[in-house]
Amino acid sequence: HLQAGRDLGFAYGPLGFAQISAYSPGTYLWVLAIRGSMLVVLGLFYFKLLRRLPIAYLAAVAFTVVAASSVSKDFASGAVPVVATLVLFDDNVSVADSAGLAFLCGVTSLMKFTYFSLIVAVYLMTTLYGALRRRAYPIPLALWLFALVLLYLLAGQNLSLFWEFFRGSLSMATGYSEAMQSYGPQREVYCFCLLAGTLLAMFAVSELRDRGAWALFPTCALALIVFVSFKEGFVRHDFDHQRIAVPWLIVNIAICAGWMSRRRINLAAAALLVVAVGYFFISIAGPAQLISVAANKLSAMCELAENGTRPLDDRYQQALTRIRQEAPLPKVTGDTDIYPFE
């Protein structure tokens, strides 16, 4: 029940524990429930967006999404903003779609402030688009705000401290570039920008053909998503952050390529998907590594089914003991500020 913003200042929000792949006995069942429900709802939206594709194309998109997601801790969260963009810019958004997105976007918003700011922008753009083009009521926005407040309270947070959480997170986000900036190989930056720019150009042309001048709205939303993914991976340019940005972009390319081919096969989008998958194999994870990751996950599931959480609990206690030995804390009376990263 630490209060985000007052007791805890971090880049992650009140549900951030559900995104990071770290075991803790008190939150493990919550992590399984949150991740599992997210994957189910996200899978339903994938099916809704891509069900008209030929089976071979659908299998290629599904393989790409699963492969890219398997090597990133942002396995589902990064796909939520682009799914929300494609669904909410549809001219026939049902209440069920809005409710499902409200849950997905509510959970994702409270996992990490990067996603919070991105989802706010997507909802504002889609709401403005609906109001100007269709005179639609802002039902999706209202449902997301309701879900956000409900999930914030369920996470043990005090609603009166929400502004403190928002202000602290915004302050940390705006100072991130200056505080955390590091440099990596320029070739990786160029490759990312080339793929991202090609995706945006193809998406803009496809939307322009379908919507005319209204294509500006979804194109700007996708451009913002791509920009934030770039910032996520290349402000602090190291391998760990590249493993967030590149899979995020690859998943977005796969979803958008399928979306652009929902009526007829878009050969340019299909070619971009092939190039993106090739770049992923070269820069992030080859087939051998993906097989190893899949084998490790299967082994972990079998171990969990056979032994429960006892081995995890033992390793957790060993880790706590090692931390106490490596970083002993003096006895503290009264309040103190803790900066937990060396």
Side-chain angles (χ1 to χ4, degrees):
H1 295 287
L2 291 175
Q3 299 298 306
R6 185 191 67 185
D7 303 326
L8 182 65
F10 200 39
Y12 291 88
L15 296 180
F17 67 90
Q19 184 176 5
I20 301 172
S21 298
Y23 176 76
S24 177
T27 60
Y28 185 62
L29 291 180
W30 284 106
V31 171
L32 291 183
I34 292 171
R35 285 193 174 194
S37 56
M38 281 188 70
L39 283 177
V40 170
V41 177
L42 195 57
L44 292 174
F45 277 114
Y46 283 154
F47 178 75
K48 174 183 174 64
L49 292 171
L50 307 172
R51 66 186 185 277
R52 296 176 185 172
L53 291 177
I55 188 66
Y57 201 158
L58 183 61
V61 171
F63 169 78
T64 304
V65 171
V66 172
S69 301
S70 68
V71 299
S72 172
K73 70 177 187 293
D74 297 27
F75 70 111
S77 310
V80 170
V82 73
V83 168
T85 296
L86 296 178
V87 173
L88 291 176
F89 275 113
D90 195 321
D91 291 333
N92 297 299
V93 183
S94 67
V95 175
D97 289 340
S98 299
L101 282 177
F103 166 75
L104 274 180
C105 292
V107 171
T108 305
S109 299
L110 295 178
M111 281 183 170
K112 196 172 184 180
F113 190 72
T114 298
Y115 298 126
F116 180 92
S117 56
L118 193 52
I119 287 170
V120 167
V122 167
Y123 266 99
L124 290 178
M125 281 190 275
T126 54
T127 300
L128 182 61
Y129 171 85
L132 293 176
R133 189 176 187 186
R134 304 192 307 268
R135 301 293 190 271
Y137 294 109
I139 294 175
L141 177 63
L143 287 174
W144 171 66
L145 290 173
F146 174 78
L148 184 70
V149 171
L150 180 62
L151 291 165
Y152 189 77
L153 293 173
L154 289 174
Q157 302 298 295
N158 186 333
L159 193 58
S160 65
L161 297 174
F162 184 85
W163 169 248
E164 209 163 335
F165 157 65
F166 177 80
R167 184 182 62 180
S169 301
L170 184 64
S171 175
M172 187 172 296
T174 54
Y176 179 82
S177 296
E178 184 178 3
M180 303 301 294
Q181 192 169 41
S182 62
Y183 296 91
Q186 289 293 304
R187 174 181 53 82
E188 295 175 353
V189 180
Y190 298 146
C191 289
F192 184 96
C193 290
L194 182 61
L195 285 175
T198 305
L199 169 64
L200 289 175
M202 289 183 181
F203 186 81
V205 170
S206 176
E207 290 296 298
L208 188 63
R209 189 165 51 240
D210 292 339
R211 304 178 196 268
W214 294 103
L216 178 66
F217 284 86
T219 303
C220 285
L222 182 62
L224 182 61
I225 294 169
V226 169
F227 171 75
V228 171
S229 67
F230 173 84
K231 185 176 184 291
E232 188 80 359
F234 295 103
V235 168
R236 185 178 177 184
H237 187 175
D238 54 34
F239 184 67
D240 288 339
H241 286 79
Q242 190 200 13
R243 285 176 71 93
I244 297 174
V246 173
W248 188 357
L249 178 64
I250 300 302
V251 168
N252 289 343
I253 288 175
I255 297 170
C256 290
W259 170 257
M260 288 185 279
S261 296
R262 65 193 184 280
R263 296 191 182 95
R264 57 186 178 277
I265 298 297
N266 187 319
L267 294 179
L272 176 63
L273 177 60
V274 172
V275 172
V277 171
Y279 177 67
F280 171 78
F281 283 155
I282 294 171
S283 64
I284 300 297
Q289 185 176 348
L290 289 178
I291 293 173
S292 175
V293 168
N296 289 338
K297 290 181 184 296
L298 182 61
S299 173
M301 291 170 62
C302 292
E303 180 182 337
L304 184 64
E306 182 177 354
N307 301 314
T309 61
R310 288 193 305 275
L312 290 171
D313 292 332
D314 292 341
R315 277 150 50 192
Y316 179 77
Q317 292 302 327
Q318 292 168 11
L320 291 184
T321 301
R322 186 174 64 253
I323 291 170
R324 292 189 188 101
Q325 293 172 347
E326 294 176 354
L329 293 177
K331 184 178 179 180
V332 176
T333 57
D335 295 339
T336 184
D337 291 336
I338 301 178
Y339 296 83
F341 282 101
E342 296 178 345

